[in-house]
Amino acid sequence: MNTDIEIRPYTATDKFDVLTLLQLNTPRFFSPEEEEDLIHYLDHEAEQYFVVTRHYQIIGAGGINLTDNNQTGKISWDFLHPDFQGKGIGSRLLQYRIEKLKAVAGIKTIRVRTSQLAYGFYEKNGFVLQEITKDYWAKGYDMYDMIYRP
């Protein structure tokens, strides 16, 4: 199935499909109140955002951002349609973005801020937990700050 998968840059016309994916992952991985944060991110903060398609249907999305004078790359706002989770597609999207970040001159650190509900995925993919902040995203959704250490 992975041969049918393509990763391409996000466009504004993808917004509805990306928001639908978030809703399909709420409340399992995201708090309902995070939808407004994603809308703000897509409209104002996304530096490089990507969608995963299968037969031209959007089944996943995720972005990257740079901070600290382009020394830190951040993995941001990634999720997949529940029907496609656990099939290696999320790892493929994550690796795609890690490679994009590694190609940026001056990158020293790759970081992700996730929740207790998804940190195991990042841990399996080379990220190490640095700090936990209780109820950061919303009540019951803690922030797990992780650094990439392959």
Side-chain angles (χ1 to χ4, degrees), residues 17-69:
D17 291 330
V18 169
L19 291 174
T20 299
L21 289 176
L22 177 70
Q23 293 161 1
L24 290 170
N25 283 283
T26 303
R28 184 171 174 211
F29 295 109
F30 295 91
S31 164
E33 55 210 69
E34 289 182 88
E35 185 171 338
E36 288 301 316
D37 294 336
L38 176 59
I39 291 168
H40 180 80
Y41 174 84
L42 292 173
D43 291 345
H44 304 288
E45 296 175 7
E47 291 177 28
Q48 291 186 58
Y49 202 68
F50 306 95
V51 293
V52 180
T53 63
R54 180 172 182 261
H55 303 301
Y56 305 103
Q57 175 190 4
I58 295 175
I59 62 165
I64 57 177
N65 289 75
L66 301 172
T67 61
D68 303 326
N69 294 320

Side-chain angles (χ1 to χ4, degrees), residues 88-107:
I89 299 167
S91 294
R92 185 169 161 186
L93 175 61
L94 179 59
Q95 194 58 46
Y96 178 86
R97 292 178 294 151
I98 288 170
E99 293 305 316
K100 289 271 187 198
L101 288 169
K102 284 180 176 179
V104 175
I107 287 288

Side-chain angles (χ1 to χ4, degrees), residues 83-150:
D83 292 348
F84 294 94
Q85 293 172 6
K87 300 178 188 300
I89 299 167
S91 294
R92 185 169 161 186
L93 175 61
L94 179 59
Q95 194 58 46
Y96 178 86
R97 292 178 294 151
I98 288 170
E99 293 305 316
K100 289 271 187 198
L101 288 169
K102 284 180 176 179
V104 175
I107 287 288
K108 295 181 178 161
T109 305
I110 298 175
R111 162 174 264 127
V112 68
R113 297 183 321 159
T114 188
S115 74
Q116 74 273 24
L117 306 169
Y119 89 97
F121 165 77
Y122 295 101
E123 194 172 55
K124 284 190 302 187
N125 282 281
F127 286 81
V128 177
L129 181 63
Q130 302 297 300
E131 181 181 7
I132 299 171
T133 305
K134 295 289 285 173
D135 298 328
Y136 181 86
W137 306 111
K139 186 164 179 52
Y141 293 82
D142 304 337
M143 190 257 287
Y144 279 50
D145 188 5
M146 304 180 81
I147 300 286
Y148 185 60
R149 300 260 191 257

